[in-house]
Amino acid sequence: MNSPIIELDELSRTFVVRSKAGGLRRERRIVHAVDGITASITAGEACGYIGANGAGKSTTIKMLTGILVPSSGRVRTCGFDPVPQRRTLAREIGVVFGQRSQLWWDLPLGESFTILAAIHRIGAAAAQPRIDQLIDGLELAPFLNTPVRQLSLGERMRGEVAAALVHRPRLLILDEPTIGLDMISKERLRQFLIAERAQQGTTLLLTTHDMSDIERLCERVLVVDQGKLAYDGTLDGLSRRVALERVLTVDLAEPSDPITVDGATNIGIELGGARQRLSFSPDQTTAAQVLAEVAGVAEVRDLTIAEPAIEDIVRTLYSRAGGGS
């Protein structure tokens, strides 16, 4: 059995917030960003860590990586105590923050990889095959000589992921890696991460607001709300527990009367009937079944499926469990 690569034991982090309370007096308030989370992630797992904005995800990651000191509780990452052993831990983990860069802004992208290999004390002979592998897997060759500041967001994010993997970390932490990316860039990145995990056995911890990222990349989900752990289990188990409705929007070749489908509800018609929206619950039917029935009575030109927002999932999960406000 694989040993835990992440261990959280009653992990908490509080912050003091001061705000004006009238006149010259300032009010002092304690905010529990992370509130007694206990969980472990086994080496080789792919785990989604999700929740609404302000739920405590980024604070947890900062404690996992040694950037923040816990207020109480215990955390171990790759067997190390993250704060006192931060330098040693850095050799075992790779981290990508969607809003921050580890690349050298004015240098060509390829030079960042060489510099990072040197920082990790990887010799040129050992580093180059790995760098070449990442360049090929993430299709970076066309813009290796382009300064990072001139890259598109999708190109830069692929570069960020490559930079985090140059030293073959045991744990890869991705914080909103697909934010702002188009569908093609997102899928290219997802395909690479699936292949990388299969080849290297890398453990993945992913925070995202895109449920498609979770569905494609993760076998397990941790849901946090207001700093507390609300759910720990499989994505299928979360879907069954929450069972929020999805919405299938179809564009038809010709206008049509309202289409009715078993297990779905027609919730809207636009463009004189050429566009129709059907909601369905995943515990009663599937998008494929709904689409098949629609296609049986009308020609479908295009379609989209709207997943419930993570905020809605967390809200529903807590309301059914009688969670905190």
Side-chain angles (χ1 to χ4, degrees):
M1 181 178 178
N2 290 338
S3 59
I5 202 164
I6 292 175
E7 299 174 82
L8 311 178
D9 184 10
E10 291 295 323
L11 185 67
S12 297
R13 173 70 195 200
T14 59
F15 294 95
V16 177
V17 177
R18 291 178 173 85
S19 58
K20 289 185 178 180
L24 298 176
R25 189 168 62 89
R26 296 181 69 85
E27 186 177 76
R28 183 175 180 272
R29 182 167 56 93
I30 303 296
V31 174
H32 296 272
V34 175
D35 192 2
I37 291 180
T38 297
S40 66
I41 297 174
T42 303
E45 274 194 285
C47 185
Y49 192 51
I50 66 175
N53 288 329
K57 306 185 300 297
S58 293
T59 301
T60 305
I61 288 174
K62 288 174 182 176
M63 289 189 285
L64 285 173
T65 55
I67 297 172
L68 283 178
V69 180
S71 299
S72 63
R74 174 177 171 269
V75 54
R76 290 188 70 81
T77 307
C78 299
F80 299 105
D81 190 340
V83 174
Q85 297 178 289
R86 186 176 173 187
R87 182 171 294 183
T88 305
L89 177 61
R91 301 191 186 105
E92 304 292 334
I93 64 174
V95 184
V96 174
F97 289 101
Q99 305 290 359
R100 299 176 186 174
S101 180
Q102 60 191 316
L103 303 171
W104 276 260
W105 201 242
D106 292 313
L107 294 181
L109 176 63
E111 292 189 21
S112 286
F113 303 148
T114 304
I115 293 171
L116 286 165
I119 288 173
H120 285 288
R121 300 180 181 178
I122 306 172
Q128 198 56 53
R130 176 58 169 167
I131 291 172
D132 291 342
Q133 181 185 39
L134 294 169
I135 290 170
D136 181 60
L138 286 161
E139 302 177 32
L140 301 174
F143 41 89
L144 277 180
N145 295 319
T146 303
V148 171
R149 58 184 164 78
Q150 295 180 8
L151 298 176
S152 70
L153 180 58
E155 292 166 347
R156 183 174 68 79
M157 287 309 301
R158 280 185 276 153
E160 297 282 359
V161 172
L165 291 170
V166 165
H167 59 298
R168 300 180 190 271
R170 294 166 57 199
L171 169 64
L172 178 62
I173 300 174
L174 302 178
D175 188 16
E176 300 286 0
T178 64
I179 190 168
L181 300 190
D182 59 60
M183 290 302 297
I184 294 175
S185 296
K186 284 185 180 182
E187 187 56 28
R188 183 182 286 123
L189 183 55
R190 291 167 184 158
Q191 290 285 356
F192 168 79
L193 291 171
I194 291 169
E196 175 72 10
R197 284 193 61 234
Q199 294 167 7
Q200 305 292 331
T202 311
T203 304
L204 175 64
L205 180 64
L206 170 68
T207 78
T208 180
H209 278 75
D210 190 331
M211 284 302 292
S212 296
D213 287 345
I214 301 294
E215 290 176 341
R216 295 280 282 113
L217 297 172
C218 301
E219 301 111 13
R220 179 181 168 198
V221 185
L222 300 176
V223 181
V224 287
D225 184 55
Q226 299 183 36
K228 295 180 179 292
L229 187 62
Y231 176 83
D232 179 357
T234 64
L235 185 60
D236 285 344
L238 178 62
S239 296
R240 288 193 298 270
R241 185 166 169 181
V242 178
L244 292 180
E245 291 193 336
R246 277 66 170 163
V247 176
L248 173 68
T249 300
V250 290
D251 288 339
L252 307 177
E254 300 288 343
S256 169
D257 292 333
I259 296 175
T260 58
V261 172
D262 288 341
T265 302
N266 195 311
I267 59 172
I269 297 176
E270 302 173 31
L271 306 177
R275 174 174 295 166
Q276 305 202 20
R277 299 169 62 240
L278 298 99
S279 66
F280 63 95
S281 177
D283 62 345
Q284 295 180 359
T285 187
T286 66
Q289 290 171 327
V290 174
L291 179 61
E293 291 197 40
V294 172
V297 297
E299 181 183 349
V300 178
R301 282 188 171 174
D302 199 5
L303 65 94
T304 59
I305 300 174
E307 298 286 343
I310 285 177
E311 288 81 359
D312 293 334
I313 291 174
V314 173
R315 189 181 304 113
T316 303
L317 185 65
Y318 249 60
S319 65
R320 292 181 182 178
S325 58

